[in-house]
Amino acid sequence: MQFTLKVWRQADREATGDFVTYPVDDISADTSFLELLDILNERLLARGDEPIAFDHDCREGICGTCGCMVNGFAHSHERETTLCQLHMRSFTDGETIIIEPWRSRAFPVLKDLIVDRSAFDRIIQSGGFIAICAGSAPDANATPIPKEAADRAMDAAACIGCGACVAACPNAAAMLFTSAKIAQLASLPQGHPERIERVKKMVSTMELSGFGSCTNHGECEAACPKGISVNFIAKLNRELIRAALWG
Amino acid sequence: MLDAKIPAGPIEQKWDTHKFKLKLVNPANKRRFHIIVVGSGLAGASAAATLAELGYDVSVFCYQDSPRRAHSIAAQGGINAAKNYQNDGDSIYRLFYDTVKGGDYRSREANVYRLAQVCNQIIDHCVAQGVPFAREYGGMLANRSFGGAQVSRTFYARGQTGQQLLLGAYSALSRQIGLDKVKMHTRHELLELVVVDGRVRGITTRDMVTGELGSHAADAVVLATGGYGNVFYLSTNAKGCNVTAAFRAYQKGALFANPCYTQIHPTCIPVTGEHQSKLTLMSESLRNDGRIWVPKNKGDTRPPDHIPEAERDYYLERRYPAFGNLVPRDVASRAAKGVCDEGRGVGPGGLGVYLDFSEAIERLGKAAIAEKYGNLFQMYAKITADDPYEVPMRIFPAVHYTMGGLWVDYNLMTTIDGLFAIGEANFSDHGANRLGASALMQGLADGYFVLPYTIGDYLARSGNNPQDTTDGEFQSSREAASARIAKLLTIKGERTPDAFHRQLGKLLWDTCGMSRNGPGLETAMAEIPKIRDEFWQNLKLAGSPDGLNQTLEKAGRVADFIDFAELMVIDAHHRTESCGGHFREESQTEEGEALRDDDKFSYVAAWERSDNPAQPTLHKEPLTFEHVLPSTRSYK
Amino acid sequence: MTWPVLGFFNTSTGKKVGMGVTGFVVVGFVIAHMAGNLQVFMGPEKLNQYAAFLVSLGGLLWVLRGIILLAAVLHVIFATQVTLQSWRARPSSYAVYRYQASSYAARTMRLGGPMLALFIIYHLLHLTFGVVQPAGEAFDPHHVYNNVVYGFQVWWLSALYIVAMGLLALHIWHGVSSMLQSVGLNHPKWNPWRFGLSALVAGAVALGNISMPLAVLAGLIQPA
């Protein structure tokens, strides 16, 4: 297969970037999207050009490191697929593919397709945990937890923190990410003692990080490689209203 | 003679006695001790969080953009603990026994017993953190049998157990970062260790965004930097996983133990072509319900549904009737290689075997299978474009985990004072073969419940010793790192780092992979120095040392992989017995099973660097077994 | 941030809850307003009596008007804040961007909102204050029926009303379901009802309001 790639190139955080066009040919349909970039990079390096910088690590859809906009879709036009799980067989031969980084004020571009997502870490640092020190836990089966609650918590906990929700959101909001952690912990009895403080702190940090405001488009859910539901955003809203009323 | 500092006394009491004898650091003094943790996976994140909870001043470094991304996240199947919630006869002793036996009698009994002791606390702690383990309808934790265990002792969170445990440790770490007890340095790579008079003083790192080299002093340094599986180029490790930190420690005098022990995981997705950048593992929990087979006849290229039952060879069930498809990883992998070598492999290149769920789907229904393995099936379908509900999966073994690592004593300290190694980075508790669902257990045991005790003892004894990072060893360390980077960038040859890495990986897979033999290893010992020479003369890089430069990062790691590969091959060559993941063709039974040589090789091979990389010095730590007496592992 | 009240309305969720609740008040008014106006089909006496009744409420009428006006103003303020926050959040836009889930209604909220505000001003000038009289007939504050019918006999004015009601329906369609989500009234089991309810309200408002200019244009309703 052959493709024309239009890739966003930006030297560093301060530089202004632009699209550069690269034709690539002789690509097997079983090549993954990141392997396509590998191949292009090997060819660029061979002719002395600087390879395209892109984030990636596990390449099996779980670490959340990779991700960029591909033809206007965060990660992929395929549902529940990270960029590393996307294969060239999903494109048509000869297609022009436009590749640009996540764009959000809270995710500044560091180089080419790499963005700084540390805002997500700061949201978790402000309250995305249960404050328990190693050694102090009771027996794991001391508190029965209904299977439904555990399953719901797991649905929310599946978030890989890739940032596709922010990237795909027309408002660049981080509600899906934040709500997934809040919903996970609020679904479990262990998470209840801190639920009011947690939602206040995490939402405050989210707001101060420069993310936009959710207007219920549902693009985040559609883009999420783990299929996290916007129902968790409603859960966050309930938790926040509870905090406002009683906290 | 290596002293592992194993406490005296009955095995059940060793750890408790030892904990009591360990010196404590006065609570008010803890904040004066600065501890550096390199790596933020299960071991690193849990250790850093726990040390900060105790009151130490902690700094954490990771090469990823967030501590949540470490490759522990990719572990799927589960975590073992001897809770015996299923009332099926499990106990600490049984877990200990199984782990020593599973490791093919090449691990330390005392360490393994401690691991089995503390693992129950891990489950308690993780549940308290909000890790959403699978549960029964009654609200109690669910368990499954995993990786050849005869009891159900594995706790799991769908197929994402590693992710959930890592996020638990990450949340604990995040809490400490938020409290300013931990200083987090993401996108930082360790380039050098600073060691003065046999004691670690700090590290030199490169900021991978700005390119800046920085020095960080510490009273103790903990390496939680994972394994070296990526030396094979193709492995199930994340692309960034590397041996650099551990190898830098080796270069500074730490001993490297059993580098030839690598685990080849039986259930991975086969290679599709030259473009392949990594391999994808699918949890071996799949073997609980999937049946592994190949055609009985060589060169049978019919599609699987056209091959009648009578012409299929369910070779694991045939050869190991007691364990069937659930034999340990090393056995399953070698068997798959065996049938492929016979020409009965399936798929492109004949490098694959079927993992067939049709019988289980018929018995349990598609919904039950989807509930158990849905995400794995989806992952498989995405990569291969085949639907495993309809067509049997094709699987092939792939490098997955490395049991070897930095040699550590019972306190998890290396032979450099103040330098600790935890998790996959140490040679630890798995002997020559790791059992399924034990890696998560070990990483968290080290981080939450072992290191926090033992490091205190070291600090209490060694005292606080602030260092000036502006000159002396720190300065020369920065200069060394800087010179190495400059050298890499000025070669201006013709081949890319990836090209060298692929070449090295192929050589190792062929000579030091699933089975090894003397002549093959000798070829590798001759070839590796040639690869190294060419690397340093013909490497091609672009960009500058200042700022983000991924090929430069890659080149530095490949350089260390090449040097490390030599050590690995030397170790594999010296160990002429077969044990666990290390299969020497010269040492096998008539039936083709691994044959240990306990008289000659019942020891840990710990290698010390010498000026000639081809001749490191071998130190032996003898292994004695008082409880689990070595016998031939039989899964028949 | 200061909790509970100020902090809450400093968050985007708080603003959206505010936007939802004020929107709910306005939607309530829209439905009541429509129900009252549909009396146009029952003849001039009925409608004029209804108008006279409202005027007779005196102070209460002004209280109600005040609540609605306040809700509308707050609605606009919250919406503006939320919009500005989102614009700031993505300073440089994508070269290519494709929607996968978003509805047309959701995407037109920010365009439809200001257009509706302009329409409401015109609507007030036309039928409440009688300042603009496109039909050329004199505005009679005691003859609401004729004011409406003369106005709708102007084809382009009817067309404007019909288009505005389409916009209003779109706004309500997304607005009601979005409001329920913002206040957390969301459950997988009830979500089909949530979407059904918003479509029902939007459809009823559109059909009810559009029926009046259509009836006038079709000659079914004549000036008294």
Side-chain angles (χ1 to χ4, degrees), chain B residues 23-65:
Chain B
K23 288 188 106 176
L24 298 174
V25 178
N26 180 320
N29 284 340
K30 281 186 178 143
R31 67 188 162 78
R32 295 193 192 139
F33 287 104
H34 182 218
I35 302 173
I36 283 176
V37 179
V38 187
S40 66
L42 282 179
S46 60
T50 309
L51 291 169
E53 286 163 9
L54 289 170
Y56 295 108
D57 176 22
V58 180
S59 296
V60 178
F61 294 80
C62 71
Y63 74 77
Q64 298 91 342
D65 72 320

Short mmCIF file of all heavy atoms in Angstrom, two decimals, chain B residues 23-65:
data_model
loop_
_atom_site.label_atom_id
_atom_site.label_comp_id
_atom_site.label_asym_id
_atom_site.label_seq_id
_atom_site.Cartn_x
_atom_site.Cartn_y
_atom_site.Cartn_z
N LYS B 23 17.40 -2.28 62.08
CA LYS B 23 17.44 -1.01 62.81
C LYS B 23 16.37 -0.08 62.26
O LYS B 23 16.04 -0.12 61.07
CB LYS B 23 18.81 -0.35 62.66
CG LYS B 23 19.89 -1.05 63.45
CD LYS B 23 21.17 -0.24 63.42
CE LYS B 23 21.39 0.44 64.75
NZ LYS B 23 22.66 1.17 64.83
N LEU B 24 15.86 0.76 63.11
CA LEU B 24 14.83 1.71 62.69
C LEU B 24 15.43 3.10 62.61
O LEU B 24 16.37 3.43 63.32
CB LEU B 24 13.68 1.71 63.70
CG LEU B 24 12.94 0.38 63.86
CD1 LEU B 24 11.92 0.48 65.00
CD2 LEU B 24 12.24 -0.01 62.58
N VAL B 25 14.85 3.90 61.73
CA VAL B 25 15.26 5.30 61.64
C VAL B 25 14.27 6.09 62.48
O VAL B 25 13.06 5.91 62.37
CB VAL B 25 15.22 5.79 60.18
CG1 VAL B 25 15.59 7.27 60.11
CG2 VAL B 25 16.17 4.97 59.32
N ASN B 26 14.80 6.95 63.33
CA ASN B 26 13.96 7.81 64.15
C ASN B 26 12.96 8.56 63.27
O ASN B 26 13.34 9.15 62.28
CB ASN B 26 14.89 8.79 64.88
CG ASN B 26 14.13 9.73 65.77
OD1 ASN B 26 13.06 10.22 65.41
ND2 ASN B 26 14.67 9.97 66.94
N PRO B 27 11.67 8.55 63.62
CA PRO B 27 10.66 9.20 62.77
C PRO B 27 11.02 10.65 62.42
O PRO B 27 10.77 11.10 61.31
CB PRO B 27 9.39 9.12 63.60
CG PRO B 27 9.60 8.00 64.55
CD PRO B 27 11.08 7.91 64.79
N ALA B 28 11.61 11.34 63.37
CA ALA B 28 11.94 12.74 63.12
C ALA B 28 13.09 12.89 62.15
O ALA B 28 13.27 13.94 61.53
CB ALA B 28 12.28 13.43 64.44
N ASN B 29 13.88 11.84 62.00
CA ASN B 29 15.05 11.93 61.12
C ASN B 29 14.77 11.46 59.70
O ASN B 29 15.59 11.67 58.81
CB ASN B 29 16.20 11.09 61.69
CG ASN B 29 16.86 11.80 62.86
OD1 ASN B 29 16.72 13.01 62.99
ND2 ASN B 29 17.54 11.04 63.69
N LYS B 30 13.63 10.80 59.52
CA LYS B 30 13.40 10.19 58.21
C LYS B 30 13.44 11.21 57.08
O LYS B 30 13.95 10.95 56.00
CB LYS B 30 12.07 9.43 58.20
CG LYS B 30 12.19 8.07 58.89
CD LYS B 30 10.92 7.26 58.76
CE LYS B 30 11.13 5.90 59.42
NZ LYS B 30 9.94 5.42 60.10
N ARG B 31 12.87 12.39 57.35
CA ARG B 31 12.80 13.37 56.26
C ARG B 31 14.19 13.86 55.84
O ARG B 31 14.35 14.46 54.79
CB ARG B 31 11.90 14.55 56.64
CG ARG B 31 12.42 15.39 57.74
CD ARG B 31 11.42 16.42 58.22
NE ARG B 31 11.80 16.91 59.52
CZ ARG B 31 12.75 17.81 59.72
NH1 ARG B 31 13.41 18.32 58.71
NH2 ARG B 31 13.06 18.19 60.95
N ARG B 32 15.20 13.61 56.67
CA ARG B 32 16.56 14.04 56.30
C ARG B 32 17.22 13.07 55.33
O ARG B 32 18.27 13.36 54.78
CB ARG B 32 17.43 14.16 57.54
CG ARG B 32 16.90 15.26 58.42
CD ARG B 32 17.88 15.63 59.48
NE ARG B 32 17.17 16.48 60.44
CZ ARG B 32 17.27 16.42 61.73
NH1 ARG B 32 18.13 15.57 62.26
NH2 ARG B 32 16.57 17.19 62.50
N PHE B 33 16.63 11.91 55.17
CA PHE B 33 17.20 10.94 54.23
C PHE B 33 16.54 11.08 52.88
O PHE B 33 15.31 11.01 52.76
CB PHE B 33 17.01 9.51 54.75
CG PHE B 33 17.90 9.18 55.91
CD1 PHE B 33 17.39 9.14 57.19
CD2 PHE B 33 19.25 8.92 55.71
CE1 PHE B 33 18.21 8.83 58.27
CE2 PHE B 33 20.08 8.61 56.78
CZ PHE B 33 19.56 8.57 58.06
N HIS B 34 17.36 11.28 51.87
CA HIS B 34 16.82 11.40 50.52
C HIS B 34 17.00 10.08 49.78
O HIS B 34 18.11 9.56 49.69
CB HIS B 34 17.54 12.54 49.76
CG HIS B 34 17.01 12.74 48.39
ND1 HIS B 34 17.81 13.05 47.32
CD2 HIS B 34 15.75 12.67 47.90
CE1 HIS B 34 17.06 13.16 46.23
NE2 HIS B 34 15.81 12.94 46.55
N ILE B 35 15.91 9.55 49.28
CA ILE B 35 15.97 8.28 48.56
C ILE B 35 15.51 8.53 47.12
O ILE B 35 14.48 9.16 46.89
CB ILE B 35 15.04 7.23 49.21
CG1 ILE B 35 15.43 7.01 50.67
CG2 ILE B 35 15.08 5.92 48.42
CD1 ILE B 35 14.47 6.12 51.44
N ILE B 36 16.30 8.04 46.19
CA ILE B 36 15.93 8.15 44.78
C ILE B 36 15.38 6.80 44.32
O ILE B 36 15.99 5.75 44.58
CB ILE B 36 17.16 8.54 43.92
CG1 ILE B 36 17.45 10.03 44.09
CG2 ILE B 36 16.91 8.20 42.45
CD1 ILE B 36 18.69 10.50 43.36
N VAL B 37 14.23 6.84 43.67
CA VAL B 37 13.66 5.62 43.09
C VAL B 37 13.65 5.82 41.58
O VAL B 37 13.10 6.82 41.09
CB VAL B 37 12.24 5.36 43.60
CG1 VAL B 37 11.66 4.11 42.95
CG2 VAL B 37 12.23 5.21 45.12
N VAL B 38 14.26 4.92 40.86
CA VAL B 38 14.27 5.01 39.40
C VAL B 38 13.30 3.98 38.86
O VAL B 38 13.45 2.78 39.10
CB VAL B 38 15.68 4.77 38.82
CG1 VAL B 38 15.69 5.05 37.33
CG2 VAL B 38 16.70 5.63 39.53
N GLY B 39 12.31 4.44 38.14
CA GLY B 39 11.28 3.55 37.62
C GLY B 39 10.01 3.70 38.44
O GLY B 39 10.06 3.86 39.65
N SER B 40 8.89 3.69 37.76
CA SER B 40 7.63 3.95 38.45
C SER B 40 6.60 2.86 38.17
O SER B 40 5.41 3.12 38.13
CB SER B 40 7.08 5.31 38.05
OG SER B 40 6.74 5.29 36.67
N GLY B 41 7.07 1.65 37.93
CA GLY B 41 6.14 0.55 37.75
C GLY B 41 5.62 0.07 39.09
O GLY B 41 5.68 0.80 40.08
N LEU B 42 5.13 -1.15 39.13
CA LEU B 42 4.57 -1.66 40.38
C LEU B 42 5.56 -1.54 41.51
O LEU B 42 5.23 -1.06 42.59
CB LEU B 42 4.18 -3.13 40.20
CG LEU B 42 2.88 -3.37 39.45
CD1 LEU B 42 2.63 -4.86 39.35
CD2 LEU B 42 1.72 -2.70 40.17
N ALA B 43 6.80 -1.99 41.28
CA ALA B 43 7.78 -1.98 42.36
C ALA B 43 8.17 -0.56 42.72
O ALA B 43 8.14 -0.17 43.88
CB ALA B 43 9.01 -2.79 41.95
N GLY B 44 8.51 0.24 41.71
CA GLY B 44 8.99 1.60 41.98
C GLY B 44 7.92 2.49 42.59
O GLY B 44 8.17 3.18 43.58
N ALA B 45 6.72 2.46 42.01
CA ALA B 45 5.67 3.34 42.51
C ALA B 45 5.27 2.94 43.93
O ALA B 45 5.06 3.79 44.80
CB ALA B 45 4.46 3.31 41.58
N SER B 46 5.16 1.62 44.16
CA SER B 46 4.74 1.19 45.49
C SER B 46 5.83 1.51 46.52
O SER B 46 5.52 1.96 47.63
CB SER B 46 4.40 -0.30 45.50
OG SER B 46 5.51 -1.07 45.12
N ALA B 47 7.08 1.32 46.13
CA ALA B 47 8.16 1.63 47.06
C ALA B 47 8.20 3.13 47.36
O ALA B 47 8.29 3.55 48.52
CB ALA B 47 9.50 1.19 46.48
N ALA B 48 8.12 3.94 46.32
CA ALA B 48 8.21 5.39 46.51
C ALA B 48 7.06 5.89 47.39
O ALA B 48 7.28 6.68 48.31
CB ALA B 48 8.18 6.09 45.15
N ALA B 49 5.86 5.40 47.11
CA ALA B 49 4.71 5.84 47.90
C ALA B 49 4.89 5.44 49.35
O ALA B 49 4.70 6.25 50.27
CB ALA B 49 3.42 5.24 47.33
N THR B 50 5.31 4.19 49.57
CA THR B 50 5.42 3.69 50.94
C THR B 50 6.54 4.40 51.69
O THR B 50 6.38 4.76 52.86
CB THR B 50 5.66 2.17 50.92
OG1 THR B 50 4.67 1.58 50.08
CG2 THR B 50 5.56 1.57 52.31
N LEU B 51 7.66 4.64 51.01
CA LEU B 51 8.76 5.34 51.67
C LEU B 51 8.34 6.76 52.04
O LEU B 51 8.69 7.26 53.12
CB LEU B 51 9.99 5.35 50.75
CG LEU B 51 10.66 3.99 50.54
CD1 LEU B 51 11.68 4.05 49.42
CD2 LEU B 51 11.30 3.48 51.83
N ALA B 52 7.57 7.39 51.16
CA ALA B 52 7.11 8.75 51.47
C ALA B 52 6.10 8.72 52.62
O ALA B 52 6.10 9.60 53.47
CB ALA B 52 6.50 9.38 50.23
N GLU B 53 5.26 7.68 52.63
CA GLU B 53 4.31 7.55 53.75
C GLU B 53 5.05 7.43 55.08
O GLU B 53 4.62 7.95 56.11
CB GLU B 53 3.43 6.29 53.56
CG GLU B 53 2.35 6.45 52.48
CD GLU B 53 1.77 5.11 52.02
OE1 GLU B 53 2.07 4.07 52.64
OE2 GLU B 53 1.03 5.11 51.02
N LEU B 54 6.20 6.76 55.01
CA LEU B 54 6.99 6.59 56.23
C LEU B 54 7.69 7.88 56.65
O LEU B 54 8.13 8.00 57.78
CB LEU B 54 8.04 5.49 56.03
CG LEU B 54 7.50 4.06 55.95
CD1 LEU B 54 8.58 3.09 55.51
CD2 LEU B 54 6.92 3.63 57.28
N GLY B 55 7.81 8.81 55.71
CA GLY B 55 8.40 10.10 56.06
C GLY B 55 9.72 10.42 55.39
O GLY B 55 10.30 11.47 55.64
N TYR B 56 10.21 9.53 54.54
CA TYR B 56 11.47 9.82 53.84
C TYR B 56 11.25 10.87 52.77
O TYR B 56 10.13 11.06 52.27
CB TYR B 56 12.04 8.55 53.20
CG TYR B 56 12.46 7.49 54.19
CD1 TYR B 56 11.73 6.32 54.34
CD2 TYR B 56 13.60 7.68 54.98
CE1 TYR B 56 12.11 5.35 55.25
CE2 TYR B 56 13.99 6.71 55.90
CZ TYR B 56 13.24 5.55 56.03
OH TYR B 56 13.63 4.59 56.93
N ASP B 57 12.33 11.52 52.40
CA ASP B 57 12.32 12.49 51.31
C ASP B 57 12.63 11.69 50.03
O ASP B 57 13.71 11.12 49.90
CB ASP B 57 13.40 13.54 51.60
CG ASP B 57 13.54 14.54 50.48
OD1 ASP B 57 12.57 14.69 49.70
OD2 ASP B 57 14.60 15.18 50.39
N VAL B 58 11.66 11.63 49.12
CA VAL B 58 11.78 10.71 47.99
C VAL B 58 11.75 11.47 46.67
O VAL B 58 10.98 12.42 46.50
CB VAL B 58 10.62 9.68 48.02
CG1 VAL B 58 10.74 8.70 46.85
CG2 VAL B 58 10.60 8.92 49.34
N SER B 59 12.61 11.06 45.74
CA SER B 59 12.52 11.55 44.36
C SER B 59 12.33 10.36 43.45
O SER B 59 12.96 9.32 43.64
CB SER B 59 13.80 12.27 43.93
OG SER B 59 13.99 13.41 44.72
N VAL B 60 11.45 10.49 42.47
CA VAL B 60 11.19 9.39 41.55
C VAL B 60 11.50 9.86 40.13
O VAL B 60 11.16 10.98 39.75
CB VAL B 60 9.73 8.91 41.64
CG1 VAL B 60 9.45 7.79 40.64
CG2 VAL B 60 9.40 8.44 43.05
N PHE B 61 12.14 8.99 39.37
CA PHE B 61 12.47 9.28 37.98
C PHE B 61 11.85 8.22 37.08
O PHE B 61 11.90 7.03 37.39
CB PHE B 61 13.99 9.26 37.77
CG PHE B 61 14.69 10.37 38.51
CD1 PHE B 61 14.94 10.26 39.87
CD2 PHE B 61 15.05 11.53 37.85
CE1 PHE B 61 15.56 11.29 40.56
CE2 PHE B 61 15.68 12.56 38.54
CZ PHE B 61 15.93 12.44 39.88
N CYS B 62 11.25 8.65 35.98
CA CYS B 62 10.81 7.65 34.99
C CYS B 62 10.98 8.24 33.60
O CYS B 62 10.97 9.45 33.42
CB CYS B 62 9.37 7.21 35.25
SG CYS B 62 8.12 8.45 34.87
N TYR B 63 11.14 7.36 32.62
CA TYR B 63 11.36 7.86 31.26
C TYR B 63 10.05 8.20 30.58
O TYR B 63 10.01 8.94 29.60
CB TYR B 63 12.17 6.84 30.42
CG TYR B 63 11.43 5.61 29.97
CD1 TYR B 63 10.54 5.66 28.90
CD2 TYR B 63 11.62 4.38 30.60
CE1 TYR B 63 9.85 4.52 28.49
CE2 TYR B 63 10.93 3.25 30.19
CZ TYR B 63 10.06 3.33 29.13
OH TYR B 63 9.36 2.22 28.72
N GLN B 64 8.93 7.66 31.10
CA GLN B 64 7.63 7.93 30.48
C GLN B 64 7.14 9.34 30.82
O GLN B 64 7.69 10.01 31.67
CB GLN B 64 6.59 6.91 30.97
CG GLN B 64 6.91 5.47 30.63
CD GLN B 64 7.71 4.77 31.72
OE1 GLN B 64 8.33 5.40 32.57
NE2 GLN B 64 7.73 3.45 31.67
N ASP B 65 6.04 9.74 30.18
CA ASP B 65 5.53 11.08 30.45
C ASP B 65 4.72 11.12 31.73
O ASP B 65 4.37 12.19 32.22
CB ASP B 65 4.70 11.61 29.27
CG ASP B 65 3.36 10.92 29.14
OD1 ASP B 65 3.29 9.70 29.34
OD2 ASP B 65 2.36 11.61 28.83
#
